[in-house]
Amino acid sequence: MFSGPMQYLEVYLPSPTTVSFTVTTRRPQSSKLRFRVGTLLRHAFRMVLVYFVLAVNIAKARDIVSLGTVQHYLNTCLKLSPGTSLIEPFAQRIEWWILAPLSLIVVYLCLRRDYVEESLLVLQGLGIQTSTSSGYFFTAPTTTFIPTAQIQDIVIHEAFKGLGVRFYLAVIVEGGTEVVVVFPTLLPRREILEEVWRGARKCLYSGIH
């Protein structure tokens, strides 16, 4: 039986002819204010950490670069940076062969999302749009739009993955050689797929009342 991170389904109905289904591994918060504050603090901490790493690398580069123009530019960057009194001693103590890989790891972890989020937006009379969040912050998600005229059906298929059977939601596109898989990264459990399947078909073909 497949085991992985917990998945949560969020359903949003902004209008009688529009519905959005979002499957995410991010744990829902009971308080929206607490969630927003927590998110803001995490992003602020990531930004400060990335800034510190870049500043340390600039200070280290200034100590080993002998070109006058480049060194002057690095000195100017450090003077404009807050926390120089902490950055310079740290840069002097750490070696390049430690700083370089450590910097790459820190920046990678700070820019990497710690959750996966995929969504299906259904617009009655227009079509559907699938979306998968990027693995990194500050980059746009991958989206696919399928007009209603090209949608033949929305179905739940099953396929073998390893020794187990996995279910997935698919859109059969007219003239397409392959189906469009919804939530391709997460492949939610069947209960979630059935709820999305019923809601998507209801909105797409008969509206939501």
Side-chain angles (χ1 to χ4, degrees):
M1 185 175 179
F2 173 79
S3 61
M6 286 292 295
Q7 298 174 356
Y8 306 92
L9 174 63
E10 301 172 356
V11 183
Y12 178 57
L13 291 83
S15 74
T17 58
T18 304
V19 60
S20 173
F21 303 94
T22 300
V23 179
T24 178
T25 58
R26 179 170 52 182
R27 184 181 297 274
Q29 301 292 323
S30 56
S31 171
K32 290 185 178 180
L33 178 60
R34 182 183 300 175
F35 170 75
R36 291 177 180 176
V37 171
T39 301
L40 181 62
L41 291 176
R42 284 195 299 272
H43 287 336
F45 176 75
R46 290 170 186 260
M47 291 169 55
V48 170
L49 196 56
V50 170
Y51 157 76
F52 180 79
V53 168
L54 293 177
V56 169
N57 278 270
I58 290 175
K60 193 67 177 178
R62 183 200 58 180
D63 293 338
I64 64 175
V65 171
S66 58
L67 293 176
T69 304
V70 176
Q71 198 170 51
H72 175 72
Y73 173 76
L74 295 176
N75 276 327
T76 303
C77 291
L78 282 177
K79 288 179 181 179
L80 296 177
S81 301
T84 304
S85 58
L86 298 176
I87 293 170
E88 291 185 334
F90 183 80
Q92 292 173 358
R93 287 195 298 267
I94 192 170
E95 298 293 336
W96 258 117
W97 62 272
I98 298 177
L99 178 61
L102 185 61
S103 299
L104 292 176
I105 293 173
V106 170
V107 172
Y108 171 80
L109 292 177
C110 287
L111 297 182
R112 182 76 178 173
R113 291 182 188 271
D114 52 5
Y115 64 90
V116 180
E117 195 167 87
E118 296 184 297
S119 64
L120 172 67
L121 176 65
V122 184
L123 304 168
Q124 189 182 56
L126 295 177
I128 62 175
Q129 177 176 285
T130 63
S131 175
T132 300
S133 63
S134 170
Y136 300 92
F137 289 103
F138 313 115
T139 54
T142 302
T143 60
T144 301
F145 182 78
I146 308 173
T148 302
Q150 297 181 12
I151 300 174
Q152 289 188 336
D153 203 356
I154 303 176
V155 298
I156 296 178
H157 278 314
E158 61 179 22
F160 288 98
K161 185 175 182 180
L163 299 177
V165 177
R166 298 299 306 275
F167 295 91
Y168 63 93
L169 188 67
V171 181
I172 301 177
V173 181
E174 182 179 1
T177 57
E178 297 182 355
V179 298
V180 176
V181 178
V182 184
F183 315 129
T185 302
L186 292 175
L187 295 176
R189 60 186 184 273
R190 185 172 180 175
E191 294 79 11
I192 292 179
L193 295 180
E194 289 178 349
E195 183 176 348
V196 175
W197 174 77
R198 286 192 295 267
R201 286 179 59 86
K202 186 176 181 180
C203 178
L204 192 62
Y205 297 119
S206 61
I208 298 178
H209 303 284

